[in-house]
Amino acid sequence: MSVAHGLAPARPRRWRSGAGRVLAGAGLMTAVALLPWLSRTDPALTVLRARSADQDPSPTDLAAVREQLGLDEGPLAHLAAWLGGLARGDAGTSWVSGEPVLPQVTGAFGVSVTLMLGALAVTVLVAGLVCARTVFLGSRRRLRQDRVSTGPAVLAALPKFLLASLLATVCGVWLGWFPSSGWEGPQSMVLPALALGIPSGAMIGGLLDQALPAAFHEPWARTWYSVGFPPGHTARHALRRALPGVLPQLLPTVVALVGGAVAVEKIFNIPGLGRLALDAAIAQDLPLLQTATLALALLGMAAGLLVGALRHALLGRPLRDGALPALHRPALPQGRALRWVAGSCAVVLLGLVVAGLLRDPLHVDTVARLVPPSVAHPLGTDSLGRDLLARLGHGALRTAGVALAVTAVAAVTGLLLGMVPQVSAGLTEAAATMPAVLAGLLTTAVTGPSVWGAACAVCLVGWSPYAAQSAALLEQERASGHIAASVSLGAGRLHLLRRHLLPALVPALLRNALLRLPTTVLVLASLGFLGLGEQPPTPEWGRLLSENQPYAELAPWTVLGPAGALVLLSVLAVSGTALRQRSA
């Protein structure tokens, strides 16, 4: 009787999770099916130009394409026909090339998953290096000073496409260690895996490094140390205790690379699923886009189930029995270096912005194209001869303001959806693997290209890391003993939320948001670069990186300025928030 009673509540939760995944997938596929009809351009015109690059097709040609593709039947008829064929193992034929869709998606999916596994290996290695010091000191009871390592913030702020260009140039072209282009074998995976895995590993490692001190200061760790347990044994169990709160970040950080590594795939000329989905979305090749989107959604949901099963296996019986100790960071003394780092970053960043505001960011001087840093141009000039310091300074407020607003909206949305994980699980998994570019195409089809349209697109998919983290931490907090004690004493839901759950969620969520702040800037820039967001010649840091990336080898100063500003912003945000939390 007790076993049946204990299992009964789990069934409705599983049904709700399954229904949520089905509804999320149906909503995503419907939105994709509407893309050609939501866009402000004629789908027949877009497809015809993708086929033949004809800039001025005749009405007869457009009518023939509409009739051939059945565009007059509407999106729902196309979606129903595609689903019917998919049930028979036929995903249709490409509107542009006329070739079967399924072999194209299958081949690109295999390439992207292989690249993702390589990036995952690099991510795990980098994350281990980031938190190695904390593991070593904590397992020996020598964590006597609280610290916020700025190293993960620096690495997490590195633009993936800029790191890819650097690796391709140095390790591929100059040194010839690995192939710099194409996909021919395991060696072709090394450089793109490094470009994708280093920033991702820094982000995962930074979150894990912040969670480990709480695990090492639990009563069991103190007891094991006092009775002489080996440090390695303590370290393994501390990692097992801290990892479940960080594991959900693998879904939006690593698994999302299957569809989101478009820039890196283009730099290394990799025929991955991200490039395929982007090209299909731009050409409005609906069968190809629908099949690629379905593959991404299924991968996200399968990865979400796998991560959830691994989390429950690590936490074990205490999670099921509601006897899980709550993790709380110990009150360790603060080092002086953190204040120095925060102050130095603030001074340098403020100096760059003020100096740039005194210059004209739109003045074009073709004689001074790609001039290196000098007294007249401290950060050099770009390909049009515009002063980079001026563009950096004038773009600071817009860059930081929009990125902070998008991050705040995404974090709050993720927190709210993470509190109802049975309902939002499928939506989180689908959004985590959906490329921001695809969301941008769907959004700008309605709003038109603008900075706020790009911001809305990032918000549509950017909440998934915070929802995954909130759901995981909330599940662990609800299974802790002090929650059961509070409930037994008559505490209501509002009291539990205000006094226990939110204080446990918000600090970790804030650290995650600040580590992801530079990524938000770069995603906004990528949308602007594709004509979906901020339009030129507006100076914006991410756009500066995107515009000057082709000149990184010839004139590296064109990207060093905005990349350095992103790093300074990331380090300042992380260290400043840590100082405020400790003073509070």
Side-chain angles (χ1 to χ4, degrees):
M1 293 293 292
S2 60
V3 174
H5 179 74
L7 290 177
R11 288 181 184 138
R13 287 197 293 269
R14 286 198 293 267
W15 277 107
R16 285 196 295 268
S17 298
R21 289 182 172 90
V22 171
L23 290 176
L28 177 60
M29 299 311 301
T30 303
V32 170
L34 291 173
L35 178 60
W37 285 266
L38 290 175
S39 64
R40 298 174 183 270
T41 58
D42 185 358
L45 177 62
T46 305
V47 172
L48 191 59
R49 286 179 175 173
R51 287 178 177 178
S52 60
D54 187 1
Q55 298 300 315
D56 191 18
S58 65
T60 304
D61 295 333
L62 294 176
V65 171
R66 290 193 191 96
E67 182 179 359
Q68 177 189 1
L69 301 181
L71 294 176
D72 295 334
E73 298 177 3
L76 296 182
H78 276 275
L79 180 60
W82 175 76
L83 290 174
L86 198 64
R88 301 188 301 270
D90 180 15
T93 58
S94 169
W95 284 1
V96 175
S97 66
E99 298 177 356
V101 164
L102 202 56
Q104 298 180 60
V105 174
T106 303
F109 184 78
V111 170
S112 291
V113 169
T114 304
L115 180 58
M116 180 201 72
L117 294 176
L120 177 61
V122 176
T123 298
V124 172
L125 177 61
V126 173
L129 293 175
V130 167
C131 61
R133 179 181 180 274
T134 301
V135 171
F136 179 82
L137 295 178
S139 62
R140 290 160 175 80
R141 304 294 298 171
R142 289 163 57 185
L143 275 177
R144 299 185 179 91
Q145 189 178 62
D146 201 356
R147 72 184 186 101
V148 174
S149 177
T150 56
V154 171
L155 292 177
L158 290 177
K160 290 183 175 68
F161 63 85
L162 185 60
L163 185 58
S165 297
L166 180 64
L167 290 172
T169 301
V170 176
C171 300
V173 178
W174 293 354
L175 300 177
W177 290 347
F178 302 100
S180 60
S181 180
W183 188 262
E184 299 176 356
Q187 286 188 332
S188 301
M189 185 177 63
V190 175
L191 295 182
L194 288 173
L196 296 171
I198 289 176
S200 300
M203 186 174 298
I204 299 293
L207 295 173
L208 183 59
D209 190 61
Q210 294 297 309
L212 278 170
F216 282 120
H217 279 73
E218 284 190 316
W220 64 264
R222 294 195 295 268
T223 303
W224 287 11
Y225 176 77
S226 64
V227 299
F229 272 45
H233 191 66
T234 305
R236 285 195 301 272
H237 283 268
L239 285 170
R240 179 175 180 175
R241 183 69 180 90
L243 268 175
V246 181
L247 273 179
Q249 297 305 300
L250 290 176
L251 185 64
T253 303
V254 179
V255 178
L257 296 177
V258 173
V262 180
V264 175
E265 289 179 355
K266 285 189 173 182
I267 290 172
F268 289 101
N269 194 25
I270 297 174
L273 193 60
R275 285 182 64 187
L276 186 68
L278 175 60
D279 294 341
I282 293 176
Q284 297 189 10
D285 191 348
L286 194 55
L288 189 58
L289 178 60
Q290 286 176 325
T291 309
T293 304
L294 179 62
L296 290 173
L298 292 177
L299 175 67
M301 292 177 185
L305 293 172
L306 181 62
V307 168
L310 184 57
R311 282 189 59 252
H312 286 79
L314 289 173
L315 292 173
R317 175 170 253 175
L319 179 67
R320 297 190 297 270
D321 295 344
L324 193 67
L327 286 176
H328 298 290
R329 283 184 61 85
L332 298 174
Q334 177 185 306
R336 296 181 180 180
L338 186 61
R339 294 182 181 275
W340 184 87
V341 169
S344 300
C345 290
V347 169
V348 174
L349 197 56
L350 184 61
L352 289 173
V353 171
V354 171
L357 289 174
L358 300 177
R359 297 166 176 260
D360 184 4
L362 302 179
H363 176 68
V364 176
D365 184 4
T366 55
V367 178
R369 294 178 64 250
L370 301 178
V371 169
S374 61
V375 176
H377 304 285
L379 295 182
T381 62
D382 63 8
S383 60
L384 296 178
R386 295 173 297 190
D387 186 80
L388 286 172
L389 179 60
R391 296 183 64 75
L392 189 72
H394 283 266
L397 183 60
R398 179 179 291 268
T399 299
V402 175
L404 285 172
V406 169
T407 301
V409 171
V412 172
T413 304
L415 176 62
L416 295 176
L417 289 175
M419 290 184 176
V420 284
Q422 289 81 24
V423 177
S424 64
L427 188 60
T428 302
E429 294 158 359
T433 53
M434 183 179 180
V437 173
L438 180 56
L441 289 170
L442 291 172
T443 303
T444 54
V446 180
T447 64
S450 66
V451 62
W452 297 114
C456 291
V458 178
C459 289
L460 280 177
V461 296
W463 55 267
S464 59
Y466 313 113
Q469 183 182 31
S470 299
L473 295 178
L474 189 65
E475 184 183 30
Q476 294 176 212
E477 193 69 16
R478 282 174 172 167
S480 60
H482 72 276
I483 294 292
S486 297
V487 172
S488 66
L489 293 174
R493 292 185 177 181
L494 184 60
H495 177 84
L496 292 175
L497 182 66
R498 186 164 51 93
R499 294 292 185 181
H500 297 286
L501 299 180
L502 285 180
L505 293 178
V506 171
L509 199 70
L510 185 60
R511 288 192 294 269
N512 190 7
L514 293 174
L515 277 173
R516 293 182 180 276
L517 184 62
T519 304
T520 303
V521 174
L522 295 174
V523 173
L524 288 169
S526 65
L527 294 178
F529 188 69
L530 293 171
L532 305 176
E534 189 72 87
Q535 300 299 300
T538 304
E540 193 268 337
W541 292 358
R543 171 164 282 279
L544 294 182
L545 285 169
S546 298
E547 290 176 343
N548 295 315
Q549 185 266 332
Y551 309 99
E553 183 180 356
L554 175 64
W557 57 85
T558 58
V559 294
L560 287 179
L566 276 179
V567 170
L568 288 174
L569 179 64
S570 178
V571 173
L572 177 61
V574 171
S575 56
T577 303
L579 288 172
R580 178 174 296 181
Q581 287 179 352
R582 289 166 194 173
S583 62

